[in-house]
Amino acid sequence: MKLYNMNNTKQKFFEYETVYLIKPDINEIQFLNLVQFLQQLLINNKAKNVISKSKGKINLSYHIKNYTEATFIETSYISNGRVIEVFEKYLKENENILRYISLKR
């Protein structure tokens, strides 16, 4: 576990990783806009070292909202716990996100 103390504040920053599945039927422009928006959401909430990687389309083991495949995105960043709440709230409300999970590294 790595701790980061940024700007001499007493808040603890940890490394997090969020993986999420995007519907496969959105077009490329919508896909890129969504991933870019999510990265900017993290940056605007003071997350650092935001890196998103697309792992491509994957076949799902079971149907999720009638989909058998999805695009797998992995995003890593450094932040405090409050950023996760904002990020996951948006992921939950977005209709193009099938599933997500955030982990502290």
Side-chain angles (χ1 to χ4, degrees), residues 58-83:
I58 60 167
N59 291 321
L60 302 173
S61 298
Y62 54 91
H63 292 257
I64 301 174
K65 298 180 184 176
N66 295 324
Y67 290 96
T68 57
E69 67 177 15
T71 305
F72 186 89
I73 305 293
E74 178 183 299
T75 301
S76 59
Y77 49 97
I78 299 170
S79 72
N80 61 22
R82 282 185 250 142
V83 174

Side-chain angles (χ1 to χ4, degrees), residues 11-24:
Q11 291 182 336
K12 292 182 181 178
F13 287 74
F14 297 95
E15 287 184 335
Y16 290 96
E17 181 174 274
T18 300
V19 293
Y20 51 96
L21 300 174
I22 299 177
K23 288 181 179 180

